Amino acid sequence: MFYFSKEAADKPNRLEEKEKKEDYHLRYGKFCLSDASTPLHQEFIAKTKLNKNFYKGNQWTFDEDIEAFLKDSTGQTRQRIKVVHNLIRPMIEQFRGNAIRLSINASAKSVSKKAINRRERSLSEKILKTKVAMEFPALGRLMRDADKSLGEDEMETVTIHENLYVDSVVKTINKLIQYVKNLNNLDDKQVRAAQNLGLSGLVVMEGFEHGGHQRYSIVESEEFFFDRSAREYDLSDADYMGKVVGMLPTDVFEAYQNISEAQRKAIEDYVTTRRNGNSMINDEAVNVGTTKIPVCHAYWRDEEKKTAGYVYDEFGYPYLIYLGETINPRTELPYTEADLIDPPKSDKNDKLFKGGKKRSMYIDVLRFCIFIPFGAVANPDKTKDNVSDIILDYGLHPYQETEWLDISNVKFPFKCYTWGYVDGEIMSPVDDAINPQRFINRILSVAESQINQSGGSNIVVDKDSVDAQGGEDELYRDIDQGKPITIRTKGRGIPNSIGVYDATPKQGTYRLFDVIPVMEGIIQKNTGVNEGLKGESTGSDQLVGVTQLLIQRGSLMQEPFYNAITQLFLQVHQHTATVGKRMYIDNERELAVAVGDDGVEILELSKEMRNEDFRVFVTRENAEEQLFAQGDSMLNVFLQTGLIDEKTYANLYSRSTPSDVAMALRESAGKKIELERQQAKQAKIDQQIAQQQMMEQEARNQQFLQQEKRDRFIENMEKHAMDMEKIALKEELSGMNKTNNTTI
């Protein structure tokens, strides 16, 4: 229950306080508590309590219902009971049921320049290795065998890099988001969030560090307070936020070890005094339980003066830093004034830096103070020394959620969203159903009273006409047994002696029940929870189109409700990507458990990523079982069409959502494109080899033909020579024969 501060507190001046120490934080924390203790906030808490009572079935809470309706002017009861036909609970149960089935998935994407730099740095390393491989061919073959992402030339390496590059840091952040989601059972918290949103119109979750881990918890609407001048539905433009929670003294003593012994005694005395019923504090101001003490957690926007200037980052780009804070990656020490460079030329920088290299900047920071209000621990015994406000903790919030692209936008650890918010007043879905619900309860109570006071139906007999011989007993016995009866009428006729009375409920009583469906219709029109959404119908002759229209109308009216839950968890996952990574970087052991040793290595190699901005995108989907079924269906189609391989299919089947399948498909497509490129390259090489072989074969064939031609020519020449020799020999023999004949 919220602690309403009865003491007005002045707002401290944030600029005049040079040293913001303990006193400043306490005064500002008390101002936040005092400023939030307004009639508007008191009405909000009262309305939330009322809605919760109606949800639980305790609906006869108004004095005008109890005093004016159940009692008469003399204060006596009218013999009416508190009949309740609870229509609030089915509404909330439908919200809770849909929240159970609602699946919210988150994925991160880096929006900082460092993501681009990482990609370019990775490409530069590949190109450098490619140049070395081209310069030394023997070494290049070994390098390409060890790293398949290296091409034969720079152009090929760029193509391979575009196909296969994946930002490992973004992948690790997505693992971290999923780990924190499972660690905190955020799916289960959706049900509690839906209940709080339905009953109060406000849902709040707080992120904090505990045991080196990122934790989230639901904050009850009645315990939360905020700056009512905020106008955004997520209250992000509020000047302050906080909560007042009841804590056991033992929890206070364990969590905050620095409090004094007198303060511990005052806390224990508070619990003892309240338990004995002698508390000096009005129960309307404080009501946190008999064994707990109110502890206020106040957070507010503050300012801090810093000296800023430009330096060159590791890629040679101008980079705005804070002197003495931002670490130089080259020296691993904070930047100093000697590292500053002239700011980039622009009209804005000319006005801000005025020709210098540095300037003072006021940045948005978040401060907090956790304290126990003085009124809660004030000693009722005036003879003893009273204890003042007890400060448990204060200072700058250790893990502030900021966007480095927008440093003047610090965010609170409370993640909020409202169903309806107008001029500082929060509205809930069931607000407009309260009075119709009361009217229904009154009608049922009146009908019950009339039915309870009604009797039966029977005959009326004139006593003077009863036969004196048998008397009334015999007459009633004959009536019960259905026998004929006789009476003495002395000639005046039976109708004057016997009549019929009817004390059963009349038509007017039954007409009261006809009003109830009318009031239910009013509630359904105001809330959108109609028969179509509940799977019911208004009659057997209801058309299908009418049912579809009811479902569409109800879905549109309920859309702001589920949008509020989605926006809440979007803020939660954004907080994990921004703040959670810094928590786990500071706690390496928990980080190893969260993202694995590979993820630890990635984050440790890039410590500067603690300041890197990530954007988280959230989608609303069906239940996990349905998503897995959809994912399996997609996998079957992709496997049949050859878009994925059997190994990927086996790894993803029965445990992947459509988003997981799509991501795997994109990775598989990238690998496939690279494989096709390699195959095309190999095919081109094979074609060149085949062409070379054909040319060589053709050359060999030509050489063979020429050799064969030469052989035939030589053979012909030899044959011709032999023929000539034969002719010459024949002529010689012919001459010899002629000589011999002449001699003879």
Side-chain angles (χ1 to χ4, degrees), residues 169-182 594-596 598-599 602:
V169 173
V170 175
K171 198 171 183 178
T172 303
I173 291 297
N174 282 318
K175 287 184 180 180
L176 182 63
I177 290 175
Q178 189 62 38
Y179 173 80
V180 173
K181 177 181 178 180
N182 297 333
V595 299
D598 293 339
I602 292 170

Side-chain angles (χ1 to χ4, degrees), residues 269-277 279 281 283 286-290:
D269 288 345
Y270 165 84
V271 177
T272 303
T273 303
R274 282 188 58 81
R275 197 163 182 82
N276 293 336
S279 175
I281 302 175
D283 288 337
V286 144
N287 183 15
V288 293
T290 57

